[in-house]
């Protein structure tokens, strides 16, 4: 048996696919909504006996490798390497590709950094300010742990020195986006995150792809949030904060709740709503929509009131709609944002999510509030806003 067959024989196709989409038993097969084309009735089938899948809607099909190639955008070698790693087969004839070597290196650096920053938050005197800050915002210690939060100290090179001490070459630290080169000829570096609360941002499998850091001082002049710079791992618009943690709750409820920021996610989880993720303030991208539509058929938007009506948000709504995801909007009542709502009234927050209303009603209400439906001009504007979405 060659190694490709060996890997294949140790992997269960149903298990692999069920981590991407909900499956139901259908006679001798398993079935679900096809993740590769928009549909409302299931035509995506898996045969557990033969370990193959087939979609009778778009006629794609294949084995576990072709599934991962399609859904993750990997090539055959990447799919093979990932599966081999999962089932503990050491591949002989396949040297890792340059691309996968770089990814592994950066993942290793991010892992070390996550541990370092969370040690400072949890155990070190330097983390006291951040601990106080979290307590002040009502975030409990279990939640720090769950989201692997950390603290980057008020210093120019603590992380840099730590990584160098752990035998990470300077070039790799530079590539990780965690250190910035000083201008001038001395080729020295300084830490990107200084005196910030750190949020690791992971892919759906829980591998840390990058970080975002929030200032602790409300009067600070610097940007409120800073992110890892773009790296081969950390690609803007390709990640959703909290997806690794919310993933199974999203799959189980067949619904994702989308909020804007990190604290919205933390507070929602604390209030017991666990299928919550954040787009991180930006408009939804096609990649994010693709990830969401693979996991659930419905998304509840839980944004600040004005936001769901604006153009960027409307683009996201359109993308979700095109992907066949039903979009609802939660009413925040008088609260400023989901964070405030979930902290002040956890039960009310849970109820608001459960009774989210259809996006169309919301858009019509929002347009009618802003333009006068009795005036011809107002009618035109309302029509112009709503018709493209309908
Ligand atoms: Zn299909």
């Amino acid at each position: 048996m060659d190694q490709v067959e060996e890997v294949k024989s140790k992997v269960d196709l149903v298990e692999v696919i069920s981590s991407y989409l909900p499956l139901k038993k259908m006679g001798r097969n398993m079935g679900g909504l096809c993740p590769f084309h928009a549909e409302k009735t299931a035509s995506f089938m898996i045969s557990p006996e033969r370990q193959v899948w087939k979609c009778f809607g778009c006629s794609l099909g294949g084995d576990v490798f072709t599934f991962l190639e399609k859904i993750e955008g990997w090539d055959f070698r990447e799919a093979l390497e990932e599966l081999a790693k999962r089932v503990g087969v050491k591949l002989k004839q396949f040297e890792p590709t340059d691309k996968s070597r770089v990814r592994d290196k950066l993942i290793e650096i991010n892992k070390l950094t996550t541990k370092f920053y969370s040690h400072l938050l949890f155990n070190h005197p330097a983390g006291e300010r951040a601990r106080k800050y979290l307590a002040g915002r009502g975030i409990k210690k279990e939640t720090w742990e769950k989201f692997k939060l950390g603290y980057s100290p008020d210093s120019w090179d603590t992380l840099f020195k730590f990584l160098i001490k752990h035998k990470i070459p300077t070039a790799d630290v530079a590539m990780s986006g965690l250190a910035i080169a000083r201008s001038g000829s001395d080729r020295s570096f300084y830490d990107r995150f200084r005196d910030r609360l750190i949020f690791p941002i992971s892919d759906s499998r829980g591998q840390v792809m990058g970080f975002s850091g929030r200032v602790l001082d409300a009067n600070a002049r610097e940007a409120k949030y800073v992110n890892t710079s773009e790296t081969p791992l950390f690609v803007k618009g390709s990640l959703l904060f909290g997806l690794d943690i919310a993933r199974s709750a999203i799959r189980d409820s067949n619904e994702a709740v989308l909020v804007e920021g990190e604290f919205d996610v933390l507070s929602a989880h604390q209030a017991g709503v666990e299928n919550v993720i954040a787009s991180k303030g930006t408009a939804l991208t096609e990649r994010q929509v693709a990830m969401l539509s693979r996991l659930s058929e419905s998304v509840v938007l839980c944004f600040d009131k004005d936001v769901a009506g604006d153009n960027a948000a409307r683009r996201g709504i359109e993308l979700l709609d095109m992907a066949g995801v039903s979009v609802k909007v939660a009413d925040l009542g008088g609260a400023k944002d989901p964070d405030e709502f979930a902290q002040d009234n956890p039960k009310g927050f849970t109820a608001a999510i459960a009774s989210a209303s259809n996006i169309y009603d919301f858009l019509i209400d929002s347009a009618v509030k802003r333009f006068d439906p009795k005036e011809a001009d107002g009618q035109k504007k309302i029509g112009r806003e709503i018709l493209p979405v309908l």
Side-chain angles (χ1 to χ4, degrees), residues 34 37 55 58:
C34 177
H37 84 277
C55 172
C58 62

Side-chain angles (χ1 to χ4, degrees), residues 113 116-121 124-130 150-160 162 191-198 216:
T113 302
F116 180 61
Y117 282 158
S118 80
H119 168 73
L120 291 177
L121 176 66
H124 199 274
E128 183 58 20
R129 261 162 56 69
Y151 172 66
S152 60
D154 192 4
S155 130
W156 289 97
D157 57 4
T158 308
L159 178 70
F160 183 76
F162 171 82
D191 291 355
R192 176 174 299 275
F193 298 106
R194 299 175 308 281
D195 192 24
R196 283 175 184 264
L197 182 64
I198 298 292
L216 296 175

Side-chain angles (χ1 to χ4, degrees), residues 33-39 43-44 53-60:
L33 293 175
C34 177
F36 305 118
H37 84 277
E39 64 174 1
S43 45
F44 182 87
W53 60 277
K54 166 102 191 151
C55 172
F56 294 95
C58 62
S59 70
L60 285 171

Side-chain angles (χ1 to χ4, degrees), residues 167-364:
K167 309 222 163 15
I168 309 289
T170 308
D172 292 353
V173 179
M175 192 167 51
S176 74
L178 290 164
I180 303 168
R182 285 197 173 86
S183 54
S185 56
D186 66 341
R187 293 186 178 277
S188 64
F189 288 85
Y190 61 93
D191 291 355
R192 176 174 299 275
F193 298 106
R194 299 175 308 281
D195 192 24
R196 283 175 184 264
L197 182 64
I198 298 292
F199 299 88
I201 302 171
S202 304
D203 66 1
S204 61
R205 283 182 289 148
Q207 303 187 111
V208 178
M209 301 281 111
F211 302 88
S212 98
R214 194 201 190 284
V215 283
L216 296 175
D217 183 354
N219 302 314
R221 288 217 187 140
E222 306 97 77
K224 216 182 198 185
Y225 282 92
V226 165
N227 295 325
T228 301
S229 57
E230 294 243 333
T231 71
L233 288 184
F234 195 73
V235 180
K236 226 178 173 181
S238 70
L239 296 162
L240 290 159
F241 175 70
L243 185 62
D244 54 324
I245 292 154
R247 181 180 171 140
S248 63
I250 292 174
R251 239 185 7 235
D252 294 347
S253 61
N254 199 12
E255 185 161 89
V257 178
L258 188 68
V259 296
E260 280 178 83
E262 285 85 346
F263 274 97
D264 297 324
V265 174
L266 302 188
S267 297
H269 275 258
Q270 269 186 193
V273 184
E274 296 193 311
N275 54 340
V276 184
I277 46 171
S279 59
K280 298 212 11 78
T282 51
L284 272 182
T285 63
E286 275 176 58
R287 278 185 76 171
Q288 290 168 328
V289 167
M291 283 192 281
L292 282 175
S293 66
R294 273 178 226 142
L295 287 174
S296 70
E297 293 167 54
S298 163
V299 169
V300 176
L301 302 179
C302 193
F303 292 164
D304 307 359
K305 276 206 164 147
D306 47 326
V307 174
D310 84 13
N311 280 327
R314 203 164 305 134
R315 175 75 185 132
I317 293 163
E318 250 178 77
L319 288 173
L320 286 167
D321 210 43
M322 282 184 328
V325 177
S326 90
V327 186
K328 294 191 263 182
V329 178
D331 185 358
L332 288 181
K336 177 171 102 256
D337 51 31
D339 173 31
E340 186 186 279
F341 197 174
Q343 287 283 344
D344 294 351
N345 181 4
K347 275 192 186 142
F349 178 73
T350 312
I353 299 293
S355 63
S357 63
N358 191 290
I359 186 74
Y360 304 121
D361 302 339
F362 172 84
L363 288 177
I364 293 166

